Amino acid sequence: LRANESEKHSRMTALLERLHGKHNSSRSWQETSKVVRQAMEKRGVINTAGHQLLLNCLETLQRALKVSSLPSMTDRLESIARQNMLGSHLSPSRTECYITSDMFYVEVHLDKAGKLVDVKVAHHGENPVSCPELIQHLRDKHFDEFSKHLKGLVNLYKLPGDNKLKTKMYLALQSLELDLTKMMHMFRIATNANTVETILHGSVGLLTARSGGHLVSLQCYVSPNDIFEEGTGDIDYYLLLYSAVPRTLGVSVSVTVEGTTSVYKLPIAPLITGSHPVDNKGTPSFSSVTNSNCVDLPACFFLKMNRLMPFSLSYIKKMGSTTGIPVLETVPTLSPLYDLIIKSQLHEEGEASPPALAQSMRFYTSLPGQQHCYFLNGDAPVQDGRSLQGAYVSKIPFRHPAQVPALLDIIRHQAAYNTLIGSCVKKTYIKEDTPGLLRFEVCPLTDSSFSVSFQHPVNESLVCVVMEVIDSRQVACKLYKGLSDALICTDDFITKVVQRCMSIPVTMRAIRRKAETIQADTPALSLIAETVEIMVKKNLPPTGSPGYMGMGTGPDGSNPVGLPGLNKARVTTLVTFLFLLSLLLYFMFFGTHMLVL
């Protein structure tokens, strides 16, 4: 055993001596860089299967090297092509790099110094077209973004069948894109809508054309939070005036074609006829589906959500009945809808896993002058003794451009509902014993309505606001209170606030502030009511009146009113009582009447 240890020690000593020797005779960084480049130029003879680890190391070195010359730029482009399983080759002048596949290729034009001149993309059978997005990425040396575009182009052709069948599917997608683009333009011309109105109300939302590996994007819903500049409360007018808004803003869907186990008749030519809409909403006229403009393909169009979105079961069924195609290929695993909304909202806020307070369904919100606690009672029975159920949806199949507006309206409706419930879900934590903490319970009633219960700010009884999401544009609100409770605000006031902010906490704060304003405007009402109540109960004259002890007559034994048993003090008390009672009735009638108006 000792001999083995001695042998190991000798080997270690010899290895260290060799390393020291290498260090003492080390080359300069320029020489080392030259040796690495020479090794990378010989990488073509490496057996990929047997030397994958070495290849990964070389790719890592390639990403670390600074791109400042023509050879370094072409090396980086070839490396990116290999990472995406694409071919690449250089022109004889080495100033053009071609990244190729069976269905498309990308041309990168460089000058002698390695600076970018142009980037063109050509699909099967098409002429190459300049792509501004790819040009910008390579000019800014954003190679990861350039690689994502190549990955998107590869995924676009992950379709069943041979190249001929893939070409037909690409033609179908191209025809759909042309129709959707025309539908957006027809809506905007007919309605003169700005960017935000196009997103919220447009037949296909706001369309961003396909570029490089990015698919056509349809932005269909934004909340007030999305279109207001954070921290300023001002509308972001850039969104109102321009159409080049971030693809990730709000709720959006990408339009693509994917292979399916069933065969569907898809158009391979645009279906919109003429350039004029049939109504003032920009609705186009579609030609009939025939064998001349459509073909049977083992594929279907899809609206792919930009992120997983919770949908109630009834909305999932509604989308399936709109297209005639089930939204989910298999029977979905259902969960309480409110659980899904909470997880989705926390994920958007950057929370990897729900915090402990999410398990209790309690969330806290800190607002100017108020602090709220919300209990989301998602387990409350809604139908057949079960809670409101739902599932995540990532993509929605369809086969005709005329089905897109109806699908987007359903998506918008669900997005509006999710936005309201999600507005209560915050990562803020406030202690339960915090003075003045206001508590609210949010309880689902149907898949489009819910109630918010809280303590009446004046009478300390329980009141409730029911919110019905009619569609993404309208939310109807109704306040329910006891018959004797003071009216704190009107239904119209609540509706206007909700539609303005799409936030439950902001709306509850506005209701509370409105109640405080009304109470401050009519301070005499409660004082008069209290005085009358005391006088009715006691029915006694003031203690300082002359007849307080005698009760029957005045100081001279007379009865000035001429009524038996009624002295001057009682007359004064009765007159005061009647005056206060009439004043109370006046405030109750006219004050409430003016509030309603």
Side-chain angles (χ1 to χ4, degrees):
L1 182 62
R2 288 181 179 178
N4 290 338
E5 289 181 357
S6 178
E7 186 179 350
K8 286 181 181 179
H9 180 71
S10 299
R11 288 178 185 174
M12 183 66 69
T13 303
L15 180 60
L16 288 173
E17 288 177 356
R18 288 174 61 191
L19 287 173
H20 283 300
K22 282 282 186 182
H23 174 71
N24 294 331
S25 61
S26 62
R27 300 183 179 89
S28 65
W29 170 247
Q30 288 79 7
E31 292 177 348
T32 303
S33 177
K34 184 178 179 180
V35 171
V36 171
R37 287 189 181 279
Q38 288 174 352
M40 293 175 70
E41 288 175 359
K42 296 177 183 179
R43 61 184 172 271
V45 299
I46 297 176
N47 184 341
T48 304
H51 302 85
Q52 188 61 46
L53 180 60
L54 178 57
L55 286 172
N56 292 340
C57 292
L58 290 174
E59 299 295 354
T60 302
L61 286 171
Q62 183 69 265
R63 287 193 295 270
L65 293 174
K66 185 178 180 181
V67 176
S68 57
S69 63
L70 179 61
S72 61
M73 176 61 100
T74 53
D75 280 351
R76 178 62 63 87
L77 292 174
E78 289 179 325
S79 173
I80 293 172
R82 282 194 305 274
Q83 291 170 22
N84 290 283
M85 308 301 290
L86 296 170
S88 64
H89 64 273
L90 298 175
S91 66
S93 64
R94 305 185 71 82
T95 56
E96 285 86 31
C97 180
Y98 297 90
I99 300 174
T100 61
S101 77
D102 291 342
M103 301 303 299
F104 71 91
Y105 67 90
V106 178
E107 296 180 10
V108 181
H109 297 264
L110 308 166
D111 62 14
K112 294 292 184 180
K115 292 184 178 179
L116 189 72
V117 176
D118 196 6
V119 181
K120 296 182 178 181
V121 179
H123 291 273
H124 189 73
E126 294 181 357
N127 294 323
V129 178
S130 290
C131 181
E133 217 167 331
L134 294 183
I135 293 172
Q136 193 62 45
H137 287 321
L138 286 185
R139 277 187 180 156
D140 296 338
K141 307 294 175 61
H142 294 162
F143 296 109
D144 287 341
E145 293 300 320
F146 180 77
S147 180
K148 288 178 183 177
H149 275 273
L150 293 182
K151 193 183 301 292
L153 289 168
V154 171
N155 291 335
L156 183 62
Y157 289 102
K158 281 188 175 178
L159 298 166
D162 54 18
N163 289 352
K164 186 176 179 180
L165 193 60
K166 290 180 181 180
T167 300
K168 288 182 179 179
M169 295 180 190
Y170 176 75
L171 289 174
L173 177 62
Q174 202 174 43
S175 301
L176 173 66
E177 292 171 348
L178 291 172
D179 278 337
L180 295 178
T181 303
K182 202 168 185 180
M183 290 169 73
M184 184 190 72
H185 289 314
M186 292 172 85
F187 170 81
R188 299 193 81 165
I189 291 171
T191 62
N192 197 28
N194 61 35
T195 299
V196 173
E197 290 168 349
T198 303
I199 294 174
L200 294 174
H201 312 310
S203 55
V204 296
L206 182 67
L207 184 145
T208 304
R210 178 158 49 90
S211 176
H214 284 162
L215 299 168
V216 164
S217 173
L218 306 179
Q219 289 170 282
C220 56
Y221 182 79
V222 288
S223 68
N225 239 12
D226 296 322
I227 61 175
F228 275 71
E229 293 180 333
E230 187 175 355
T232 66
D234 297 326
I235 293 177
D236 188 350
Y237 286 99
Y238 182 83
L239 294 178
L240 294 176
L241 300 175
Y242 303 101
S243 58
V245 298
R247 290 172 180 263
T248 56
L249 182 72
V251 178
S252 65
V253 293
S254 300
V255 182
T256 187
V257 62
E258 292 184 0
T260 56
T261 54
S262 303
V263 175
Y264 297 99
K265 189 177 286 294
L266 301 182
I268 55 171
L271 297 179
I272 294 179
T273 59
S275 57
H276 297 287
V278 297
D279 55 23
N280 59 359
K281 296 180 181 179
T283 306
S285 174
F286 294 94
S287 58
S288 302
V289 173
T290 64
N291 290 330
S292 61
N293 57 21
C294 296
V295 294
D296 292 330
L297 295 170
C300 194
F301 298 132
F302 284 90
L303 297 178
K304 300 188 75 171
M305 309 296 300
N306 62 338
R307 55 179 174 268
L308 280 176
M309 181 171 157
F311 281 81
S312 69
L313 181 59
S314 62
Y315 281 28
I316 294 173
K317 291 178 179 178
K318 192 182 296 183
M319 289 189 292
S321 61
T322 298
T323 61
I325 306 171
V327 173
L328 303 171
E329 295 179 350
T330 58
V331 178
T333 302
L334 298 177
S335 303
L337 181 64
Y338 278 35
D339 286 356
L340 301 179
I341 294 174
I342 289 170
K343 290 177 183 176
S344 178
Q345 182 67 25
L346 290 173
H347 179 72
E348 286 182 30
E349 293 193 5
E351 189 74 33
S353 59
L357 49 89
Q359 307 302 323
S360 64
M361 306 292 279
R362 281 181 172 81
F363 299 92
Y364 300 89
T365 302
S366 184
L367 296 165
Q370 292 182 20
Q371 291 180 317
H372 297 181
C373 172
Y374 289 90
F375 172 60
L376 303 186
N377 190 5
D379 293 329
V382 173
Q383 189 176 14
D384 301 329
R386 298 186 64 191
S387 61
L388 191 61
Q389 299 291 296
Y392 285 120
V393 173
S394 60
K395 58 184 181 180
I396 304 159
F398 67 102
R399 49 188 166 184
H400 194 284
Q403 296 171 343
V404 173
L407 291 176
L408 292 188
D409 279 344
I410 297 172
I411 293 172
R412 288 172 173 139
H413 199 164
Q414 185 68 66
Y417 188 91
N418 293 357
T419 297
L420 284 170
I421 302 303
S423 67
C424 302
V425 181
K426 304 294 180 185
K427 292 187 289 183
T428 311
Y429 180 75
I430 301 172
K431 291 183 178 180
E432 281 287 333
D433 58 353
T434 300
L437 181 64
L438 304 176
R439 291 175 172 80
F440 304 86
E441 180 183 12
V442 180
C443 186
L445 301 176
T446 67
D447 57 1
S448 62
S449 65
F450 57 90
S451 65
V452 184
S453 304
F454 55 97
Q455 183 177 307
H456 193 291
V458 178
N459 300 91
E460 298 185 354
S461 57
L462 188 67
V463 293
C464 169
V465 174
V466 172
M467 298 186 185
E468 171 78 28
V469 183
I470 300 171
D471 55 37
S472 62
R473 310 166 187 84
Q474 301 178 76
V475 182
C477 302
K478 186 167 183 59
L479 175 70
Y480 291 90
K481 64 178 186 63
L483 294 175
S484 61
D485 291 339
L487 181 63
I488 53 179
C489 62
T490 62
D491 297 342
D492 185 56
F493 171 80
I494 303 173
T495 299
K496 286 179 179 178
V497 173
V498 170
Q499 293 186 160
R500 176 70 173 167
C501 66
M502 290 301 288
S503 168
I504 294 174
V506 173
T507 303
M508 294 302 109
R509 178 179 182 271
I511 292 174
R512 188 86 182 185
R513 292 293 300 275
K514 186 71 172 177
E516 292 170 358
T517 304
I518 293 171
Q519 194 175 12
D521 288 344
T522 57
L525 189 59
S526 57
L527 179 62
I528 294 170
E530 184 180 353
T531 304
V532 171
E533 183 180 2
I534 293 172
M535 294 184 67
V536 167
K537 285 181 179 179
K538 294 185 177 180
N539 195 22
L540 295 174
T543 55
S545 62
Y548 182 74
M549 295 302 292
M551 298 295 285
T553 60
D556 57 356
S558 64
N559 189 332
V561 182
L563 296 176
L566 187 64
N567 59 18
K568 184 177 180 180
R570 280 186 170 269
V571 171
T572 304
T573 302
L574 182 60
V575 171
T576 304
F577 167 73
L578 293 175
F579 171 75
L580 291 174
L581 181 60
S582 62
L583 195 59
L584 173 63
L585 294 173
Y586 173 84
F587 269 98
M588 290 180 65
F589 177 77
F590 289 102
T592 306
H593 182 66
M594 290 175 68
L595 175 62
V596 172
L597 292 177

